[in-house]
Amino acid sequence: ENKLIYVSIGYFSCHWCHVMQKESYQDQAVAEQLNKNYISVKVDRELRPELDRRLLRFVEEVRGHAGWPLNVFISADGYPVTGFTYLPRDNFLQILAGLSEQWQQRHESINRVAKAYFEQTELSEQRSTLVSLAEEHADKVLDAFVQQAMAIADELQGGFGQSTKFPSYPQLNALLKAIRLNPSMDEAVAKFVRLTLDSMANLHLMDQLNFGFFRYSTDPDWQTPHYEKMLYDNAQLAALYLDAESVWPGQGYAEIGLHTIDFMREYLISDGGGFMASISAVDVNQREGAGYLWNKDELKAALTADEHHYLQTHWQLDAEKDHEFLLKPLPEEALTSSQQSLKQSLRQKLRAIKKPLMPLDSKILASWNGLALAALVKALQYKHSDELYSVTTRLFDFIRQQFIKNGQVIRFAGQAESAETTLEDYAQLAYAIQLYALVTGDQAAEALARQLVQNAFALFYRDDRWFQDVASLIPGDQGEYVIQDAVLESSSARLLETLVMMKQPDQQLMQTARELIARLTRDMIETPYYYGSSILLARQLRMLKSADSKQQKSPQSD
C-alpha cells in the first residue's frame, strides 16, 4: 500500500504509555489518521526487547533522548524514518498529517535517506574494532572502569549522575566485585557503594511499608520515586544486597535483600510458582502512585494518639504539606528498641489499610525469572527456612516445565508465539540454574545449564559475534564482539560466567569462552562504564589462571 509503518512500543507499567493510549489512540480523529495513512503496530517492549533496543537507539540518535512510549515511523523496507516519545494529542495529529503529506510527495527520497542514515548509524554502533593489550596491562581496563564510574558518582547522595537516579545494578555489582577482588582498593569506592546501598534502601527508592524497590527516582536525592515496581529491578537488587552482606557483614544488607524477596513473594508470585513482570505506576483510576500515598486525615483516622505522635516525631510528618505524601522513616539505628517495635506494629497496621489497587502485569518472562531464581538461591545462604527452600525449588521446577522445551527456551510462559526468545533469556536462565546446581548439588540442574549454554552458542554466536535475537525484525544487525551492560548485565558476560562456574563444562566451549572473555574492543577502553560485567569477568578469569599456575608449580618447589 506504500504506507509508512507506525510502531508504538510501550509496556504495562509505563505511566505515559497509558496517557497516550487514552489521549490519542482512543481519539476518533487520531484513529482516522492512523488507519487511513499508516500501518499501525503496537509492541510490548518486554516481548520484543531487541526491536525495542534497536529503535530506542535510533530515537536517541535523532532526538538526543528516548524512552517510552517509543514511537517510530518505519519505511516498508524496515528502515526507521523518524521517531519521538510521548506527544500530546494535538502535537501528534500535526505530526501524522505533516509526515503523511511528505511521504506522499517524496517517499522514494525519504526511503533512500532513511536507509542510508540507518545503515551508517548501525555500522558505527557495532563497536567492531577489536584491540590487543599486553597481559601485564590488562588490569588497567578495570582501573579505567572504576575511574569512569567514580567520575559520575554522586559521592554526597549516592547513585550515578546529578538528576534522575536509577539503581544501575550492573555498575554497582561490578564495583562490588572489584572491591571483593581488591580489598586494598581506594576507600572512596567502597564508601560510595555503601552510601548508594544505604540511600536506595532507606529513602524513597524503596517502599518503606510494603518493601520492594521502585524503578527510579525522579530527583537526585531519592525522594520522589517513579512508582513502577519491576521484577527485574527487585530480583537484581535483592541479589546485590545479599552479595554486599558478604563484603560488609553485620550492616543489615542481608535483611534488605530478604525484605525484597519477601515483597516479590507477596506481590509478584503466580499460582504456579513463577514471578510476574511488574506492578503499574498508576492505579485503576490512572492516579500515579495512589497505592503508596497518604494524607494526615487518613493517618489520624487509622492510628491512636500515641502512634500518630510517633509518626510526627520519627517519620517527619510535620515537614509535609496537607496533600498526599510518602512516609519518610528515619534509619533504624536512630531508634530505640521500643521505637523500633512501635515502628514494626505501625507498619503492620498501615499495611492492613486497603489502599487503591495498583494493577499487576501478569506476564511471566524467562530471563526475569532467571534473575528471581538467582536471588532466591543467594537468599538461602542467609535464611535457612523450609518455606524459602520450597519457593526456590518450586520456581526451579516452574522454569524447567514452562520455559524449557527440548533444550530450547520460551521467553513468555504460556505464550510461546507472542515473544521472541533472546540471548538474554538463555544467559539468565543458564546462570541461575547453574547457581542452583552449585548450592543444592543437583547434577541434573548442571546438565540442564550446560545444555542451555550449548544451545545459546548455537543460536546466538555466529560469524565470531554475538547476536541477541535469532532473526531481527528490522535490517542491519551486524552482531557484537562484546555486549554492553544495560538494565541487566551483559548477556554475553553472564553466559560466559556460567561456563566458568561449571564443574564439568564442555571443554571445547570452555576454550572458546576463555578467548571471548579476554576480548577487548575499542569501545570497552573508551567507555568502560558500560562494560563492567565483562571487564570484571576477565579479571576473575586471570586470577583463576594465576591461582592454577601457582598450584601446578607448588609440588616442584616442595
Side-chain angles (χ1 to χ4, degrees), residues 139-152:
D139 284 343
K140 290 184 178 178
V141 184
L142 175 54
D143 295 339
F145 163 74
V146 173
Q147 290 168 9
Q148 196 166 84
M150 292 303 292
I152 57 173

Side-chain angles (χ1 to χ4, degrees), residues 54 102 122 170 181 232 261 264 338 372 377 425 427 443 448 467 482 487 524:
R54 295 185 67 198
Q102 289 184 48
E122 283 285 297
L181 295 175
Y232 68 78
I261 284 172
M264 290 162 51
S338 62
V377 170
D425 296 305
Q443 295 182 354
L448 179 56
F467 291 79
V482 180
V487 293
M524 289 174 72

Side-chain angles (χ1 to χ4, degrees), residues 207 209-210 214 227 229 266-267 279-285 287-303 322-327 346-359:
D207 176 354
L209 285 181
N210 309 291
F214 298 112
Y227 292 98
K229 287 183 176 178
E266 182 172 357
Y267 292 97
I279 299 174
S280 177
V282 297
D283 71 357
V284 291
N285 299 313
R287 294 174 63 230
E288 190 172 4
Y292 312 105
L293 302 176
W294 301 81
N295 61 50
K296 292 181 181 180
D297 290 338
E298 280 182 302
L299 295 172
K300 284 179 180 177
L303 304 175
D322 288 331
H323 60 70
E324 292 185 313
F325 56 87
L326 276 167
L327 297 173
L346 273 173
R347 175 177 275 129
Q348 292 172 2
K349 198 167 189 177
L350 292 174
R351 275 166 55 89
I353 297 172
K354 300 301 181 186
K355 299 292 285 181
L357 177 67
M358 305 304 285

Side-chain angles (χ1 to χ4, degrees), residues 283-517:
D283 71 357
V284 291
N285 299 313
Q286 300 298 300
R287 294 174 63 230
E288 190 172 4
Y292 312 105
L293 302 176
W294 301 81
N295 61 50
K296 292 181 181 180
D297 290 338
E298 280 182 302
L299 295 172
K300 284 179 180 177
L303 304 175
T304 66
D306 286 346
E307 289 169 337
H308 193 264
H309 176 72
Y310 170 85
L311 278 183
Q312 288 180 308
T313 305
H314 293 285
W315 282 21
Q316 304 174 27
L317 206 57
D318 285 341
E320 298 292 348
K321 298 176 182 177
D322 288 331
H323 60 70
E324 292 185 313
F325 56 87
L326 276 167
L327 297 173
K328 295 184 177 180
L330 295 176
E332 295 281 353
E333 58 267 23
L335 308 178
T336 66
S337 59
S338 62
Q339 289 168 341
Q340 287 176 352
S341 297
L342 182 55
K343 179 176 176 177
Q344 291 304 317
S345 67
L346 273 173
R347 175 177 275 129
Q348 292 172 2
K349 198 167 189 177
L350 292 174
R351 275 166 55 89
I353 297 172
K354 300 301 181 186
K355 299 292 285 181
L357 177 67
M358 305 304 285
L360 187 67
D361 184 353
S362 60
K363 289 196 306 290
I364 303 177
L365 302 173
S367 62
W368 297 10
N369 274 265
L371 295 169
L373 179 60
L376 285 166
V377 170
K378 291 186 177 189
L380 290 173
Q381 301 172 60
Y382 296 98
K383 186 177 181 180
H384 304 284
S385 75
D386 292 341
E387 184 183 8
L388 184 60
Y389 184 80
S390 175
V391 170
T392 306
T393 55
R394 190 170 175 232
L395 176 58
F396 173 66
D397 290 338
F398 181 91
I399 286 171
R400 281 193 307 178
Q401 295 164 14
Q402 298 297 324
F403 289 126
I404 303 170
K405 303 294 181 187
N406 301 318
Q408 304 297 314
V409 173
I410 296 166
R411 179 169 177 81
F412 183 5
Q415 298 284 341
E417 301 303 317
S418 298
E420 61 172 346
T421 302
T422 65
L423 174 59
E424 172 192 298
D425 296 305
Y426 278 82
Q428 296 296 347
L429 285 188
Y431 173 83
I433 291 169
Q434 177 59 32
L435 201 61
Y436 178 87
L438 292 174
V439 170
T440 63
D442 188 331
Q443 295 182 354
E446 174 148 339
L448 179 56
R450 187 161 50 245
Q451 183 183 27
L452 290 180
V453 170
Q454 290 169 342
N455 289 346
F457 266 90
L459 287 168
F460 301 104
Y461 184 66
R462 308 188 293 273
D463 302 323
D464 205 29
R465 295 173 185 247
W466 292 106
F467 291 79
Q468 299 192 65
D469 55 1
V470 175
S472 177
L473 290 173
I474 55 176
D477 189 0
Q478 303 295 316
E480 297 174 86
Y481 285 123
V482 180
I483 294 174
Q484 281 189 346
D485 292 325
V487 293
L488 274 58
E489 285 187 329
S490 159
S491 298
S492 57
R494 180 130 285 194
L495 191 75
L496 295 169
E497 184 179 5
T498 305
L499 259 172
V500 172
M501 290 163 54
M502 287 182 177
K503 293 180 179 178
Q504 296 179 314
D506 179 288
Q507 289 304 312
Q508 187 175 350
L509 273 186
M510 190 63 215
Q511 180 56 41
T512 301
R514 290 191 185 98
E515 295 168 4
L516 295 179
I517 291 169

